[in-house]
Amino acid sequence: MAFSRVFPDPPSKSIFKTFALMLLSIVTSLYFLHCLTERCGTCIPTERREAGPVEAFYASKLKDFESLRRKRLLQKWTVMRHHSLIHRLESVREGGLTLPVIDADRHVLQAHVKMSNSLDVDLETGESYFDTGKLSALGEGSKKLPQAIIIGVKKGGTRALLEFLRVHPDIRAVGAEPHFFDRNYDNGMDWYRDLMPKTLEGQITMEKTPSYFVTREAPARIYAMSRDTKLIVVVRDPVTRAISDYTQTLSKKPDIPTFESLTFKNRTTGLIDTSWSAIQIGIYAKHLDNWLQFFPMSQILFVSGERLISDPAGELGHVQDFLGLKRIITDKHFYFNQTKGFPCLKKAEGSSKPHCLGKTKGRTHPNIHPEVVQRLRDFYRPFNMKFYQMTGRKFGWDD
């Protein structure tokens, strides 16, 4: 009886077929990558004549668009190539085969991973930071001149408004006051732009410097930057504002004269000293006249400092409408702090903890003689009436 040993079919055909397919795939992939990174860049037509400033501007924008388009194509191709290689490597390993081509593919895969990292691609999910709005977390985006500025007024509630607005995902604001249009204008627009945070498309860049409202040169300078700039002014009862202004100065200079002595040029006649900045700032109608020489009233929003305390969500709703943003900041973002006497954020920007303004806010005001307060109210009343007429809104300071 003859015995014959049974051998499996030689694996040569299947091995070489797999080898050939993998090799062809690698060559094709490398060629495609070469085309994307090198040759596609030549698709932009060259200028046949010397470009003027307008043509140069649009040519630069076209190049930026082409660069971004190629980058996105590379991202998508990287993700697909990654998953394809993973699948093929696992299939070959299941067959128990170890070929040089597998090692070659592994090196290609490592190169893909390295490239994907440079392009900010998540290989596990196929997500791109270009597509998911994660650029800001990576420090991407670009610095732009502000489209909206809180221009005033000092001790009106500008810091509270800015902190509340920064909760909105479509608002990016400078924390410190740049003082560009009053003190640092000679530094130039590039210096100013460099202070701004990076923003994505659709986000609004903001800053706040409350002294702009009373700076005579500021309207013309902001208009020269952009005539479309939206302006926000937080106003407050001018008498209360003046006392708050004095209180802040007193905390820094305890030896200054009394509020009463600074208020009057002559206490006997009751003549108010309008040269004192604490008094002068509260003549809102006078300062607004200066701004209306350059900007229409439709581009200026007046926020009530009193309502910012009693109804922060309501005032923030008007601000979000003015900026053309969705009303995201609502009542759920605030709670009233009884100790400080004003609302605080339940969750501040970039934090899960409640946030209140610092100890410099909500200082206890000194006691001012009632007669002095009444004389100040009489002084401001005609200016307040004119301000109500100009803005079309009664703020209730004389009720």
Side-chain angles (χ1 to χ4, degrees):
M1 182 177 181
F3 293 93
S4 62
R5 299 178 62 184
V6 180
F7 294 97
D9 292 334
S12 58
K13 289 185 177 181
S14 61
I15 292 174
F16 286 113
K17 183 178 180 181
T18 301
F19 178 84
L21 289 174
M22 287 185 176
L23 186 60
L24 179 62
S25 175
I26 292 172
V27 172
T28 304
S29 298
L30 292 175
Y31 177 78
F32 183 60
L33 177 62
H34 171 72
C35 174
L36 282 175
T37 56
E38 300 293 337
R39 294 189 176 183
C40 291
T42 63
C43 296
I44 303 173
T46 57
E47 295 286 346
R48 295 185 178 181
R49 60 181 176 83
E50 184 177 355
V54 176
E55 291 89 344
F57 171 80
Y58 285 107
S60 67
K61 293 298 180 185
L62 178 59
K63 290 181 180 179
D64 291 342
F65 173 77
E66 289 291 337
S67 176
L68 179 60
R69 185 174 64 86
R70 291 198 303 273
K71 198 170 186 181
R72 285 179 172 172
L73 283 173
L74 282 169
Q75 291 172 344
K76 293 179 181 179
W77 177 80
T78 301
V79 173
M80 292 188 294
R81 178 64 178 152
H82 165 77
H83 289 297
S84 173
L85 286 170
I86 289 292
H87 176 73
R88 285 163 47 203
L89 286 173
E90 290 178 349
S91 299
V92 173
R93 288 191 184 110
E94 287 177 359
L97 298 176
T98 56
L99 295 171
V101 70
I102 297 177
D103 292 330
D105 262 5
R106 185 182 296 113
H107 290 305
V108 174
L109 174 60
Q110 290 172 349
H112 291 167
V113 172
K114 183 176 181 181
M115 180 179 68
S116 71
N117 290 337
S118 67
L119 296 177
D120 302 320
V121 178
D122 185 343
L123 290 177
E124 293 302 319
T125 63
E127 282 187 341
S128 164
Y129 287 102
F130 283 98
D131 302 326
T132 60
K134 296 178 182 177
L135 281 170
S136 58
L138 295 174
E140 296 288 345
S142 59
K143 293 188 176 186
K144 302 174 184 176
L145 292 170
Q147 296 93 7
I149 304 176
I150 301 174
I151 60 173
V153 297
K154 181 182 179 184
K155 306 310 294 180
T158 58
R159 172 56 59 184
L161 178 61
L162 184 71
E163 292 301 312
F164 295 163
L165 283 174
R166 292 175 76 179
V167 173
H168 201 293
D170 291 331
I171 292 178
R172 299 278 287 136
V174 183
E177 297 175 2
H179 283 281
F180 176 66
F181 294 104
D182 56 354
R183 302 177 189 171
N184 299 305
Y185 195 66
D186 290 341
N187 290 339
M189 285 293 172
D190 289 339
W191 178 89
Y192 184 48
R193 183 188 289 107
D194 194 55
L195 296 178
M196 299 299 123
K198 291 183 178 180
T199 56
L200 300 172
E201 190 67 30
Q203 289 183 320
I204 293 177
T205 303
M206 288 188 68
E207 70 114 318
K208 79 103 175 172
T209 304
S211 56
Y212 291 162
F213 188 63
V214 298
T215 301
R216 177 162 293 277
E217 298 82 9
R221 290 171 174 178
I222 293 177
Y223 184 85
M225 176 188 72
S226 173
R227 64 182 65 185
D228 297 321
T229 306
K230 293 187 176 183
L231 309 171
I232 301 174
V233 188
V234 187
V235 289
R236 182 183 182 187
D237 181 337
V239 177
T240 309
R241 197 221 66 81
I243 297 173
S244 180
D245 197 336
Y246 173 79
T247 303
Q248 183 183 56
T249 305
L250 183 64
S251 68
K252 299 176 182 178
K253 300 177 181 178
D255 57 342
I256 63 171
T258 64
F259 181 84
E260 289 83 355
S261 62
L262 291 171
T263 298
F264 300 102
K265 285 185 177 180
N266 188 311
R267 179 71 182 269
T268 304
T269 61
L271 184 63
I272 303 295
D273 187 357
T274 57
S275 65
W276 184 30
S277 64
I279 299 296
Q280 196 257 354
I281 290 173
I283 310 175
Y284 301 139
K286 173 186 175 183
H287 304 302
L288 180 56
D289 268 332
N290 190 31
W291 287 90
L292 293 179
Q293 302 300 314
F294 296 88
F295 294 93
M297 189 65 77
S298 59
Q299 275 179 241
I300 309 175
L301 177 70
F302 293 90
V303 175
S304 167
E306 287 81 14
R307 285 184 58 82
L308 197 58
I309 295 175
S310 63
D311 181 22
E315 287 299 288
L316 266 293
H318 295 314
V319 177
Q320 291 171 94
D321 293 343
F322 175 69
L323 296 175
L325 299 175
K326 182 179 179 180
R327 286 198 178 195
I328 291 178
I329 307 171
T330 61
D331 283 323
K332 67 182 180 181
H333 289 92
F334 302 99
Y335 75 94
F336 191 83
N337 187 301
Q338 296 292 343
T339 303
K340 287 183 171 290
F342 52 75
C344 300
L345 288 170
K346 290 181 181 178
K347 291 184 179 181
E349 180 196 29
S351 173
S352 60
K353 298 179 181 180
H355 172 68
C356 279
L357 298 179
K359 62 182 180 180
T360 60
K361 306 300 179 182
R363 295 186 183 96
T364 301
H365 291 179
N367 292 323
I368 308 299
H369 196 284
E371 181 189 355
V372 176
V373 173
Q374 187 56 50
R375 289 197 179 186
L376 277 176
R377 293 207 177 281
D378 294 339
F379 166 78
Y380 279 121
R381 186 173 290 108
F383 297 110
N384 291 344
M385 292 299 107
K386 182 179 179 182
F387 184 65
Y388 295 167
Q389 291 176 351
M390 296 172 75
T391 60
R393 180 178 178 181
K394 290 185 177 181
F395 290 88
W397 300 326
D398 301 287
D399 297 343

